[in-house]
Amino acid sequence: MSVQDHIQLWDQVQVRVLDVRFMSFQKNEQMRRYVLPTSTFVFISGRGQLWLNQEVWSSSRFLLLHGGKGRYLTIEATEPIEVYFIFYKATLPSNVLREYHMMLLNSNPFEQNWAEEPVHPLELRELSQHIHRCWNEQDHLGKLQIKGYFFHLVQLVTRQRSERQGGEQLPSLTEQVLRYISGHFREQLSLDTLAESLNYSPQYLSRKFKEQTGVTPTEYIIQMRMNEAQNLLVSTEATLNEIATYVGYPDPFYFNRAFKKEMGTTPGKFRIEHRKRMNRVSKNTINETNESIVSKETGRYPLVDDDNHYQFNGDEETEMFNNLKAALMTLVLIFTLSACGTATQSAVSTDAAAEEAEQTAVVEMKTVKTAFGDVEIPAHPQRVAAIDYLGTVLALGVKPVGGGQFLMNSPYLEGHLDGIEVIGDSVEQLMELQPDLIITLNPDKAAYEKYSQIAPTVSIASITFPALKDEVSYFGEVLGKEAEAQEWLANFDQEIAQIKQKVNDVVPADTTFSVMQEYDRQVFIFGNQSGRGGRNIYELLGLQAPEVIPAELMEGAYHEFSIELLSKYVGDYLILTSRAQLEELQADPVWGSLPAVQNGHVYLWTEEESWFRDPIALLKQTQDLAEWIIDLNSQ
């Protein structure tokens, strides 16, 4: 999703700042694996390294970081630094365009991890200070000011990210080293191999890295190994030998000496002291206070006990997929070997039967074009998960194993959905359905890769198809239902032609139609590729929009326009998505002044009816719209 789409979402959401905190870190101080309780902006002034899960950034002077709920944040101060935490929650109102809900579902900017070196660092610093001061004042006026300052911060950030879009910001040398070390620190990694992998001389790499972090790459590798060792010592029952080998020390005696040199105590004593400390803490919990949403760690003891692990949905999810798939493959292998052993003992199978079974197991594949390039899929998929395009799949006679939650609520698919599971946000549930093909319009590459680990995935944006016939034909090819697609389109065209003729018989050729949606004094216009009746009116029935409407407003999915232009853009007939009644519109000083509203030439329906634009929905909607037009002109 583009930054422009994210800006649209920021314009629609309701935002609450939940907490604001300030922390200072002295040289070599750390805060390790703090779990972000909600979406968070972090402004850093000073030099250090910051980690969100496995991603790392380096701050040389100033850095603005954003993290989603449940992410693990680690801060390591190379020099004294100041850090402002702004915790917030963004939610979409229930009555906004459903497109915004779909945008949020496909790519949620409030849950993304990123960091930027700010173009206006002093202005951001001042804004962070204002927000923190107002928060501490704890009065209503201060809380109101916070919103103004917060959105000013968002405006600066989104403008900078928008200007940079299309030109990827390359990581600095220090960040490259940090990222490489984070993925290889358990290996036998030397300065020479590190420099060679990044195509720098060892001397230059070491000097630049130390300038930024205060330590050499070798010293940093040791720190990472020690931090990982501490984590394992306090959170697992692994033996010292197992931990030593895991963090990169095949010789446990060398590991013992290295750990004592870094930590001032042996690994065994470190584990014993930690357990004693935890026992003391648990006995005195009743006397503890928790004044801050941020938990600061001045030592090197990582936070391992928290109540937010269930919120995490980042890299560990990918690891979970791999583990589950490996387990399934293991089970398949066990059952296969067991079956082979039984067959050998009973001697009932024949060569012919084995050959036939082998041929049956081979799945015929084909290649289709998607948003992410050519993808190989089953030629005749049997277990389709239609996260999107559910109505199109059903129109082609395919009963999917699951359908997306939004689409399963379609009033036009009643009677078609028996036996189809609702696919929500749970990837585990999607895996349990064991699909052999997943269909989605999600443009997010990370989501596509996540789905692709479960089954071949076809991702294609709805705006890819100029007309309904293109969409149906494409999915006819995807599903191996080319003949069914042509037959459905032929029947559809025949029925639409009859409906269109009836409308043309009663509507003069110069009659104009507008397709709009209104809510909360905002007005949107829809063209011939959109829902809300746009495709029905303009593409299928061939009716005309007012000529005064600019061509660019009729292109794409939808456009917002000023309500002052309403009188110019509303034609003789208005198809309007709204929760208002006709009497309410007629009583409104703006809407009531429109001839179409005064004459009752308004087709009113809710978003729950007008949003859907699959082939099944389009046919029923077109029938209803045509009947309304004919009835009005028969009176």
Side-chain angles (χ1 to χ4, degrees):
M1 184 182 291
S2 68
V3 175
Q4 297 304 318
D5 290 331
H6 288 175
I7 292 173
Q8 287 189 62
L9 285 173
W10 273 112
D11 185 47
Q12 297 296 324
V13 294
Q14 296 172 338
V15 174
R16 287 182 57 215
V17 176
L18 301 177
D19 201 356
V20 183
R21 296 291 164 176
F22 169 78
M23 295 180 69
S24 61
F25 294 84
Q26 299 306 310
K27 182 177 180 179
N28 296 329
E29 262 193 310
Q30 299 179 355
M31 181 184 76
R32 299 198 57 80
R33 292 176 65 79
Y34 169 67
V35 183
L36 298 181
T38 185
S39 302
T40 310
F41 281 109
V42 184
F43 179 77
I44 301 94
S45 176
R47 179 174 292 182
Q49 287 73 52
L50 293 95
W51 302 72
L52 275 176
N53 294 346
Q54 302 303 315
E55 296 180 88
V56 60
W57 294 271
S58 179
S59 171
S60 58
R61 299 183 308 126
F62 301 98
L63 191 73
L64 181 68
L65 179 144
H66 183 274
K69 178 179 178 179
R71 305 309 197 270
Y72 294 94
L73 173 65
T74 293
I75 299 176
E76 298 177 351
T78 306
E79 299 292 340
I81 60 175
E82 296 180 345
V83 184
Y84 288 91
F85 298 84
I86 303 172
F87 302 92
Y88 74 94
K89 183 176 182 180
T91 55
L92 278 173
S94 59
N95 65 334
V96 301
L97 288 180
R98 191 165 293 200
E99 276 79 2
Y100 291 127
H101 289 284
M102 295 296 290
M103 287 167 62
L104 191 68
L105 185 66
N106 290 335
S107 180
N108 189 336
F110 317 114
E111 294 298 323
Q112 291 184 351
N113 299 346
W114 53 263
E116 293 272 355
E117 184 178 339
V119 175
H120 306 286
L122 296 182
E123 188 171 359
L124 279 178
R125 183 174 184 267
E126 184 179 17
L127 282 171
S128 300
Q129 291 173 334
H130 285 327
I131 292 172
H132 182 245
R133 186 186 68 250
C134 290
W135 182 265
N136 287 332
E137 289 175 356
Q138 294 296 322
D139 58 37
H140 295 298
L141 182 60
K143 293 296 177 63
L144 186 61
Q145 285 180 310
I146 286 175
K147 287 191 175 182
Y149 289 137
F150 180 84
F151 276 106
H152 190 181
L153 182 149
V154 170
Q155 179 191 15
L156 286 176
V157 174
T158 51
R159 179 184 297 167
Q160 177 174 325
R161 302 198 79 210
S162 177
E163 290 171 353
R164 285 185 177 175
Q165 189 174 42
E168 185 177 355
Q169 186 179 7
L170 296 176
S172 66
L173 174 58
T174 299
E175 288 174 341
Q176 292 180 57
V177 175
L178 289 170
R179 293 176 187 183
Y180 189 88
I181 290 175
S182 69
H184 300 84
F185 72 89
R186 298 186 183 94
E187 304 170 8
Q188 298 304 305
L189 191 60
S190 68
L191 179 60
D192 288 337
T193 57
L194 179 62
E196 183 180 355
S197 66
L198 296 174
N199 202 25
Y200 288 96
S201 71
Q203 295 79 13
Y204 179 81
L205 185 146
S206 182
R207 176 167 56 84
K208 285 296 183 180
F209 187 83
K210 188 169 183 177
E211 286 176 2
Q212 182 67 45
T213 66
V215 295
T216 66
T218 301
E219 290 170 335
Y220 196 82
I221 292 170
I222 294 172
Q223 288 181 7
M224 288 206 67
R225 289 175 173 177
M226 294 302 108
N227 289 334
E228 182 72 7
Q230 292 175 68
N231 185 25
L232 295 171
L233 285 167
V234 302
S235 63
T236 74
E237 296 299 323
T239 66
L240 299 185
N241 285 354
E242 290 170 339
I243 293 174
T245 302
Y246 183 74
V247 300
Y249 294 99
D251 183 349
F253 297 102
Y254 184 76
F255 166 67
N256 196 69
R257 289 196 300 272
F259 191 93
K260 186 174 182 180
K261 181 180 178 181
E262 281 289 309
M263 305 306 303
T265 186
T266 64
K269 289 182 179 178
F270 176 88
R271 174 178 269 173
I272 292 170
E273 288 301 317
H274 175 80
R275 289 177 176 174
K276 287 181 180 179
R277 186 164 55 252
M278 289 299 98
N279 287 335
R280 287 196 298 270
V281 170
S282 63
K283 291 177 182 178
N284 294 282
T285 301
I286 194 170
N287 297 320
E288 290 186 351
T289 60
N290 185 14
E291 298 178 353
S292 173
I293 197 168
V294 175
S295 175
K296 180 176 176 182
E297 283 271 318
T298 57
R300 295 190 180 183
Y301 304 102
L303 299 176
V304 294
D305 297 320
D306 60 77
D307 61 352
N308 288 297
H309 289 296
Y310 71 94
Q311 300 165 350
F312 183 81
N313 59 359
D315 297 329
E316 289 183 359
E317 198 170 62
T318 300
E319 183 179 349
M320 177 196 70
F321 298 150
N322 294 334
N323 292 339
L324 284 174
K325 289 179 74 176
L328 287 172
M329 291 298 294
T330 302
L331 286 173
V332 169
L333 180 60
I334 291 170
F335 290 136
T336 302
L337 291 174
S338 174
C340 290
T342 304
T344 301
Q345 292 171 7
S346 60
V348 295
S349 64
T350 66
D351 292 342
E355 183 178 352
E356 181 182 352
E358 184 178 354
Q359 291 174 350
T360 304
V362 175
V363 177
E364 183 185 353
M365 305 295 285
K366 64 182 177 184
T367 301
V368 296
K369 295 185 180 299
T370 75
F372 295 100
D374 291 347
V375 175
E376 194 174 54
I377 66 171
H380 302 283
Q382 302 300 308
R383 298 184 61 81
V384 177
I387 298 175
D388 298 296
Y389 298 104
L390 176 60
T392 310
V393 172
L394 287 168
L396 294 173
V398 174
K399 192 68 164 287
V401 294
Q405 192 164 16
F406 268 118
L407 304 181
M408 291 287 283
N409 292 325
S410 171
Y412 305 103
L413 298 182
E414 289 183 10
H416 296 272
L417 303 176
D418 293 341
I420 302 177
E421 294 287 334
V422 176
I423 300 174
D425 297 332
S426 171
V427 177
E428 295 93 333
Q429 179 205 16
L430 183 58
M431 291 182 68
E432 288 174 2
L433 293 176
Q434 299 179 0
D436 58 2
L437 178 67
I438 298 173
I439 295 175
T440 178
L441 55 72
N442 195 328
D444 185 58
K445 188 172 183 180
Y448 168 75
E449 291 174 348
K450 182 171 63 176
Y451 293 143
S452 296
Q453 294 183 52
I454 301 173
T457 299
V458 170
S459 178
I460 191 87
S462 58
I463 59 173
T464 305
F465 308 110
L468 176 64
K469 66 177 182 180
D470 300 301
E471 179 178 322
V472 175
S473 298
Y474 175 82
F475 283 104
E477 178 189 358
V478 167
L479 299 169
K481 297 288 185 179
E482 291 88 343
E484 288 84 348
Q486 295 308 311
E487 181 181 358
W488 192 93
L489 285 172
N491 293 334
F492 180 81
D493 288 344
Q494 183 178 356
E495 185 155 2
I496 291 297
Q498 295 174 356
I499 296 173
K500 185 176 180 180
Q501 185 59 54
K502 292 178 181 178
V503 171
N504 290 339
D505 288 343
V506 298
V507 173
D510 59 350
T511 305
T512 57
F513 290 76
S514 299
V515 181
M516 297 181 178
Q517 177 168 351
E518 69 82 23
Y519 75 91
D520 195 25
R521 308 301 291 178
Q522 291 179 289
V523 192
F524 297 82
I525 195 164
F526 296 82
N528 63 354
Q529 280 188 265
S530 67
R532 311 301 196 280
R535 179 162 271 181
N536 311 77
I537 292 295
Y538 302 125
E539 178 189 332
L540 300 181
L541 294 179
L543 301 170
Q544 303 299 311
E547 290 185 0
V548 70
I549 299 177
E552 57 268 22
L553 291 188
M554 298 300 292
E555 298 172 352
Y558 59 92
H559 297 274
E560 184 179 1
F561 68 92
S562 172
I563 199 167
E564 284 77 16
L565 295 170
L566 196 60
S567 60
K568 293 175 60 178
Y569 291 170
V570 171
D572 301 313
Y573 291 80
L574 174 63
I575 289 80
L576 181 66
T577 298
S578 172
R579 295 197 177 276
Q581 301 297 316
L582 180 60
E583 294 77 10
E584 297 176 70
L585 293 177
Q586 290 174 332
D588 183 270
V590 176
W591 290 93
S593 65
L594 305 174
V597 175
Q598 294 172 355
N599 298 330
H601 290 178
V602 183
Y603 186 88
L604 284 168
W605 52 353
T606 64
E607 193 175 39
E608 287 77 13
E609 300 166 301
S610 66
W611 183 81
F612 301 94
R613 53 180 176 177
D614 60 82
I616 297 175
L618 284 174
L619 179 58
K620 182 64 169 67
Q621 291 168 346
T622 306
Q623 291 169 339
D624 292 343
L625 285 165
E627 184 178 340
W628 168 72
I629 295 170
I630 294 167
D631 285 347
L632 278 180
N633 286 274
S634 300
Q635 295 174 359

